[in-house]
Amino acid sequence: MRLTAAQKEQFDREGYLFFPALFTPEEMKNLNDEVPELYERREAYNVREKGKDAVRTNFGAHLYSEPFAKLARHPRMIEPVEDLFGESLYMHQFKINGKMAFEGDVWQWHQDYGTWLNDDMMPTERAMNVAIFLDDVNDYNGPLMFIPGSHKKGVVDAKHDLTTTSYPLWTVDNELIGQLVDRAGGKPGYDEAGRPVGGGIVSPKGPAGSMILFHSCLVHASGSNLTPFNRVSVYLSLCAVSNHIRRHKRPEFIAHRDFTPIETLPDDCLLKHYPVDLPWKDGLPASAMETSLEEIKPELQAA
Ligand code: SIN
Ligand code: MN
């Protein structure tokens, strides 16, 4: 799937593109069916909500689950990003976020590249998020919120929040969020005639199978999920190969260390069998838990 000139222009301006119902319910079925068993596993790669059993994020499923390994190579996800970067991609991070009914906690306002820079020493913002909805996303079950155009600010000030949720995140303070929202069109509301005005926060919603591409500097967040409806979504964080991380401060299941370019599968890969590598099928290797604060020189990594 390639982007049109108008889509590229929109992405540049807004920092995201939304593709409602890009995948069919049949294509989503095997992915959805796999999630409960993956979430049941008592493994380091399942991060649970603070003080709860519900899974907040499952990391690295493309390395041990066949349906997700195929999704990670899907041309509808990989090609548009290759097209935007003009370069091959590797998988920097792969997660299945639960945002489970009644239990799903907030994601504070943040930029993903802020974390990838501060923690992983990713040199530039040439990395992209691709989200796929496994459940319908509506107004109520904690949809993602974006501040359109906020990616144009580059990396903004952030603080390392280790306490709000179970997952450490570099977060943006409320004052700066207020300024960015004003700059983007201000409070979403209504004029005297009841017409909607103000586009400072947007929130793409749609059926399971919808896809969002969003810039790694786009400021985003989501509220908690107080509804009886799960909001499971998959996030691929795709990095240009030349922009690979330079530090392994975080375990490998969170920030991957294999910079091999992704090779796409055929477009029907979610409906048919195609062989895929599942290197962590029999468990997480001990090396995936090893971390270091050392900067890794690219020459050494190539050796
Ligand atoms: C994220 O920002 O990485 C996840 C946000 C969400 O799932 O709502
Ligand atoms: Mn994020």
Side-chain angles (χ1 to χ4, degrees):
M1 189 177 94
R2 300 288 166 188
L3 299 176
T4 63
Q7 285 172 320
K8 287 182 186 173
E9 203 185 302
Q10 187 182 347
F11 177 79
D12 179 58
R13 197 176 55 246
E14 310 274 348
Y16 73 98
L17 290 171
F18 184 45
F19 302 85
L22 185 71
F23 293 86
T24 64
E26 294 72 41
E27 288 182 306
M28 291 290 101
K29 186 173 183 322
N30 288 341
L31 298 164
N32 265 312
D33 287 352
E34 186 92 341
V35 172
E37 193 274 314
L38 293 177
Y39 277 6
E40 261 175 33
R41 298 182 186 183
R42 299 282 145 185
E43 295 278 359
Y45 52 63
N46 275 332
V47 175
R48 290 168 199 280
E49 298 286 10
K50 197 173 174 175
K52 298 178 180 169
D53 204 43
V55 169
R56 175 177 182 76
T57 309
N58 162 283
F59 286 101
H62 66 306
L63 298 175
Y64 47 82
S65 155
E66 191 178 325
F68 288 98
K70 292 195 292 183
L71 183 71
R73 293 161 173 81
H74 203 291
R76 272 174 256 165
M77 308 185 82
I78 306 297
E79 284 175 2
V81 183
E82 278 177 346
D83 205 17
L84 283 166
F85 289 154
E87 194 187 327
S88 297
L89 309 169
Y90 80 93
M91 190 67 69
H92 170 60
Q93 189 173 78
F94 188 100
K95 45 192 206 282
I96 311 172
N97 283 3
K99 188 81 78 177
M100 301 305 275
F102 301 113
E103 313 262 36
D105 205 350
V106 303
W107 287 81
Q108 313 94 300
W109 286 107
H110 69 282
Q111 296 175 305
D112 285 357
Y113 180 60
T115 299
W116 301 338
L117 172 67
N118 286 307
D119 285 346
D120 308 326
M121 282 190 167
M122 185 185 283
T124 77
E125 58 192 55
R126 282 168 62 77
M128 177 84 74
N129 274 315
V130 185
I132 290 279
F133 302 170
L134 293 197
D135 288 308
D136 298 346
V137 176
N138 57 37
D139 284 329
Y140 316 108
N141 61 353
L144 263 183
M145 298 185 283
F146 295 137
I147 305 179
S150 52
H151 64 301
K152 295 277 188 190
K153 288 285 182 193
V155 181
V156 302
D157 281 347
K159 292 202 178 57
H160 207 191
D161 181 348
L162 299 152
T163 55
T164 303
T165 74
S166 58
Y167 186 68
L169 202 62
W170 288 81
T171 61
V172 180
D173 74 29
N174 294 350
E175 193 183 335
L176 184 50
I177 292 301
Q179 290 164 13
L180 292 170
V181 169
D182 282 346
R183 177 183 166 275
K187 177 180 166 185
Y190 302 92
D191 68 10
E192 308 81 59
R195 287 177 299 240
V197 291
I201 298 180
V202 297
S203 187
K205 283 152 289 191
S210 300
M211 177 173 102
I212 313 175
L213 293 188
F214 63 100
H215 194 283
S216 59
C217 287
L218 192 70
V219 179
H220 60 285
S222 61
S224 63
N225 183 3
L226 294 176
T227 73
F229 321 116
N230 293 339
R231 197 227 64 183
V232 179
S233 302
V234 183
Y235 292 84
L236 277 66
S237 301
L238 299 165
C239 185
V241 169
S242 65
N243 192 42
H244 66 77
I245 61 171
R246 305 293 199 249
R247 181 162 77 173
H248 301 329
K249 183 184 161 195
R250 301 194 292 172
E252 191 179 1
F253 62 87
I254 297 182
H256 294 295
R257 300 169 190 173
D258 178 356
F259 310 135
T260 312
I262 296 170
E263 283 182 30
T264 54
L265 291 172
D267 194 75
D268 62 0
C269 64
L270 295 176
L271 300 172
K272 289 192 184 159
H273 175 72
Y274 290 95
V276 280
D277 257 4
L278 297 173
W280 293 359
K281 183 167 49 73
D282 298 321
L284 205 56
S287 59
M289 300 301 290
E290 284 165 17
T291 57
S292 159
L293 290 176
E294 293 278 297
E295 177 176 356
I296 296 155
K297 299 278 181 283
E299 313 81 79
L300 294 180
Q301 282 196 325

